[in-house]
Amino acid sequence: MDILSYQSDFITFLESQKFSREPKNLYEPVDYILRLGGKRIRPMLTLIAADVFSNDYQKALPAAFAVEVFHNFTLVHDDIMDDAPLRRGKETVHEKWNINTGILSGDAMLILAYQYFENYEPETFQKLAQLFSKTALEVCDGQQLDVDFETRNDVTIDEYIKMITLKTSVLVAAALKMGAIVAKADEEQAQHLYNYGLNLGIAFQLQDDYLDTFGDPESFGKQVGGDIIENKKTYLYLKALEVANSTDKENLLNLYNGKQKNNTEKVTTVSAIFKENNIPEETHKLIEYYTDKSFESLSYLNISDKHKEGLRAFGKNLMSRKV
């Protein structure tokens, strides 16, 4: 398992894809968002899965690229919905162009993602397309729940975990399963790898939520405190409501239900309440729980110990990231 080779070959594949066709205002934003960089975690997982089951990850490059194009499509539309100014430290698509361009370019990306499955024979194509359609719809379900939660005061932690499972985690899991499908792994084995990804994806999103509030603005690449400004009912917020005293609880509810003139002050106050109530430690505990749960699935995989260790190391690195 050579992560550097996966990354290098994936970037070479990405750079060989030409999105310089007409009309420019449709395809330039596609090219822009795909070349902004990012962690490339999902396509890496597709290549890893193909490698552990067949020792040939090159054939999974089109599927990996489809996953990356779809993921970036969701980011373009998410940024519009969140009115986010930055993505990976650069202007978001709708800020650089306009909202209408962001919507239409995002739509094109969803269709482009499907086209990359046409590189595979009919049986593989069908399996990939079925999984992809199911996953894409689940991501939409998760995004809608996220929006719904913004105006609700009765969101539970269980509901939140369900939402991030749909919005974030299913795509991490599907990325892995797609690599297994390309490698022609049997369904049971592919599903165990999916389960590994599903729990890893939950841990990943919890880590993202933590970094959104307590990350380093220089390395994080997004607006720190964005979730607080947007009144996102993250695990940090929900856990604080559960354990805080009545004064802190009342302050949180007021801050999340009123329009604040000073967002910097709001972020500072909410962060302080989180710290006072040991929310960073509680979040790290839950991240560890889902990471361990993810690693349990590895014991069911009929792959070499070296590959299992590689998947475990990948998960650990993901959870210790600062961006």
Side-chain angles (χ1 to χ4, degrees), residues 7-19 31 34-35 40 65 116:
Q7 284 176 328
S8 167
D9 288 354
F10 180 74
I11 297 301
T12 302
F13 185 86
L14 184 153
E15 287 174 350
S16 71
Q17 306 310 300
K18 302 293 179 213
F19 295 112
D31 199 54
L34 286 170
R35 290 174 194 272
R40 314 284 189 203
F65 192 68
Y116 280 87

Side-chain angles (χ1 to χ4, degrees), residues 4 36 75 77 110 148 176 184 195 214 251 257 264 290 301 306 309 322:
L4 291 177
L36 266 190
L75 298 183
H77 280 192
L110 176 58
D148 291 348
L176 282 155
K184 300 192 184 319
N195 293 338
F214 296 109
N251 281 341
N257 286 309
T264 307
Y290 281 105
L301 290 175
K306 186 182 169 189
E309 197 42 57
K322 304 294 178 200

Side-chain angles (χ1 to χ4, degrees), residues 35-319:
R35 290 174 194 272
L36 266 190
K39 296 177 281 289
R40 314 284 189 203
I41 287 161
R42 293 152 194 85
M44 290 306 103
L45 290 171
T46 305
L47 300 180
I48 287 169
D51 205 12
V52 301
F53 282 119
S54 70
N55 292 317
D56 179 10
Y57 66 86
Q58 299 278 346
K59 63 185 176 187
L61 282 165
F65 192 68
V67 169
E68 184 69 352
V69 173
F70 174 78
H71 172 58
N72 279 274
F73 142 69
T74 67
L75 298 183
V76 171
H77 280 192
D78 278 7
D79 286 341
I80 292 170
M81 294 172 79
D82 292 342
D83 196 20
L86 293 177
R87 170 66 60 184
R88 297 165 187 155
K90 305 278 188 195
E91 274 182 298
T92 46
V93 167
H94 69 276
E95 286 283 335
K96 191 171 171 65
W97 281 271
N98 55 60
I99 286 176
N100 287 351
T101 299
I103 292 168
L104 200 56
S105 293
D107 292 344
M109 289 172 80
L110 176 58
I111 297 154
L112 284 165
Y114 271 99
Q115 285 191 326
Y116 280 87
F117 296 139
E118 292 168 13
N119 287 278
Y120 299 101
E121 68 275 15
E123 189 186 351
T124 303
F125 172 88
Q126 186 185 21
K127 284 182 178 178
L128 289 170
Q130 279 178 339
L131 174 60
F132 195 68
S133 298
K134 171 182 172 286
T135 305
L137 208 50
E138 286 173 332
V139 171
C140 292
D141 292 346
Q143 177 67 7
Q144 185 59 55
L145 287 173
D146 194 19
V147 172
D148 291 348
F149 288 178
E150 285 177 33
T151 53
R152 277 181 52 193
N153 280 326
D154 59 348
V155 179
T156 66
I157 288 173
D158 282 349
E159 283 181 307
Y160 178 71
I161 297 296
K162 181 189 174 187
M163 183 274 286
I164 64 171
T165 300
L166 291 167
K167 187 181 171 183
T168 301
S169 180
V170 292
L171 186 57
V172 172
L176 282 155
K177 192 170 181 180
M178 281 182 197
I181 288 169
V182 170
K184 300 192 184 319
D186 70 55
E187 174 59 30
E188 191 183 330
Q189 286 290 293
Q191 192 57 39
H192 286 314
L193 199 59
Y194 182 93
N195 293 338
Y196 158 82
L198 200 67
N199 287 302
L200 197 64
I202 296 170
F204 175 84
Q205 183 57 51
L206 288 165
Q207 174 79 344
D208 219 46
D209 293 349
Y210 170 82
L211 289 171
D212 189 280
T213 300
F214 296 109
D216 177 358
E218 289 298 310
S219 59
F220 190 49
K222 288 188 278 187
Q223 182 180 24
V224 170
D227 286 346
I228 294 169
I229 293 165
E230 290 291 317
N231 298 324
K232 297 274 188 193
K233 307 296 189 333
T234 63
Y235 173 76
L236 286 81
Y237 170 81
L238 296 171
K239 190 67 182 173
L241 281 186
E242 187 184 279
V243 301
N245 61 35
S246 55
T247 307
D248 281 350
K249 190 173 175 179
E250 194 179 330
N251 281 341
L252 278 176
L253 288 168
N254 288 337
L255 285 162
Y256 272 64
N257 286 309
K259 275 283 176 199
Q260 304 301 312
K261 287 177 184 169
N262 189 329
N263 280 331
T264 307
E265 202 176 292
K266 178 182 176 180
V267 171
T268 305
T269 307
V270 171
S271 301
I273 292 171
F274 287 169
K275 279 183 183 170
E276 282 163 23
N277 288 280
N278 295 321
I279 302 306
E281 291 82 358
E282 290 295 328
T283 307
H284 284 309
K285 269 189 220 166
L286 199 63
I287 290 167
E288 207 170 292
Y289 168 79
Y290 281 105
T291 306
D292 289 345
K293 203 172 172 186
S294 164
F295 293 165
E296 283 171 22
S297 296
L298 298 178
S299 61
Y300 301 110
L301 290 175
N302 299 326
I303 58 174
S304 69
D305 288 343
K306 186 182 169 189
H307 282 323
K308 284 181 187 179
E309 197 42 57
L311 286 165
R312 195 174 278 108
F314 188 90
K316 283 179 179 170
N317 285 339
L318 213 51
M319 292 316 123

